[in-house]
Amino acid sequence: MISTRRIPPTPLPFLLGLACALVAGFGCRREEITHYRVPKEPSQAAPATASAPPPSMGAGEVPAPPTPTGGAALKWTLPKGWTEEKGGGMRFATLKAPVPGKLDISVVFLPGDAGGELGNVNRWRGQIGLPAMDAAALGKARKAFTTKAGAIAAFDFSSDGAARSRMVVGLLTTADGNSWFLKMVGDEGPVSACKPEFMRFLESLRLD
């Protein structure tokens, strides 16, 4: 025989309490999920960048050629009273003459033809504010003579204006195809005073 006993209804306050408990529990779990922090993965190392140029060389700067030694090194006889200092980079040597005023005397070595005679002469002229010249004018300005080191092409330029600059340069191309620039530049007075001795200095060049 099937029982017909009825289950008494659940009191309303009990249901409300149960509902509140469920909501409160769910809220706590949501709070836990919201504040759970996933530890960050270690950041990957930044990609390696190209190494910077050495302190002695700026960006885009051409490295100095090897300094000539032995029989490839240019030699000379210094005029009386002149002194010599070893250079650095492309400057093989710096010479000092005992005269007051602005004056710089340098010996520079460059491999190959270093841009050619006309290109270098016009670069030097630009350094004292003179315009470029063509090949015909270059031939008239050149004074050529022979030394024990080879043929020298010498040039003498003076700027315009009241404060005049002057430059005397000897260009030597050796048998191995390399170039030597022997340049005296400065104010008109000191350069003029030293020119005779500078020309004798050029005539003394040799490769032992």
Side-chain angles (χ1 to χ4, degrees):
M1 181 176 179
I2 300 173
S3 174
T4 59
R5 183 184 176 187
R6 297 181 60 188
I7 300 173
T10 304
L12 181 59
F14 176 80
L15 292 176
L16 292 175
L18 179 61
C20 290
L22 290 173
V23 171
F26 180 71
C28 292
R29 292 181 61 82
R30 288 190 59 188
E31 186 70 17
E32 292 174 2
I33 295 173
T34 302
H35 290 85
Y36 181 70
R37 301 191 180 191
V38 178
K40 294 182 179 179
E41 296 182 0
S43 58
Q44 295 182 351
T49 56
S51 57
S56 60
M57 183 175 25
E61 186 178 337
V62 178
T67 302
T69 57
L74 194 63
K75 298 175 181 64
W76 51 76
T77 301
L78 282 179
K80 186 177 180 180
W82 286 33
T83 58
E84 176 182 334
E85 297 176 1
K86 205 164 201 180
M90 295 180 184
R91 181 174 285 221
F92 185 77
T94 297
L95 309 182
K96 302 286 186 180
V99 295
K102 183 180 178 181
L103 182 68
D104 180 56
I105 308 172
S106 60
V107 179
V108 172
F109 166 79
L110 290 174
D113 66 0
E117 183 184 36
L118 181 59
N120 282 297
V121 166
N122 283 330
R123 176 171 57 83
W124 296 329
R125 286 173 60 85
Q127 290 173 356
I128 58 172
L130 293 177
M133 58 171 47
D134 58 18
L138 177 72
K140 295 178 181 179
R142 182 194 304 114
K143 178 182 178 181
F145 57 93
T146 303
T147 70
K148 292 181 179 179
I152 293 281
F155 302 90
D156 187 347
F157 302 118
S158 294
S159 68
D160 300 323
R164 299 183 65 185
S165 297
R166 188 173 179 182
M167 177 184 296
V168 183
V169 188
L171 170 59
L172 167 68
T173 302
T174 54
D176 56 7
N178 293 321
S179 302
W180 293 83
F181 304 146
L182 306 106
K183 182 169 67 172
M184 178 173 64
V185 60
D187 293 336
E188 170 74 26
V191 173
S192 298
C194 289
K195 183 180 177 180
E197 292 178 326
F198 183 77
M199 297 306 294
R200 286 194 290 273
F201 158 72
L202 294 181
E203 292 168 357
S204 74
L205 297 178
R206 62 190 184 276
L207 291 168
D208 295 338

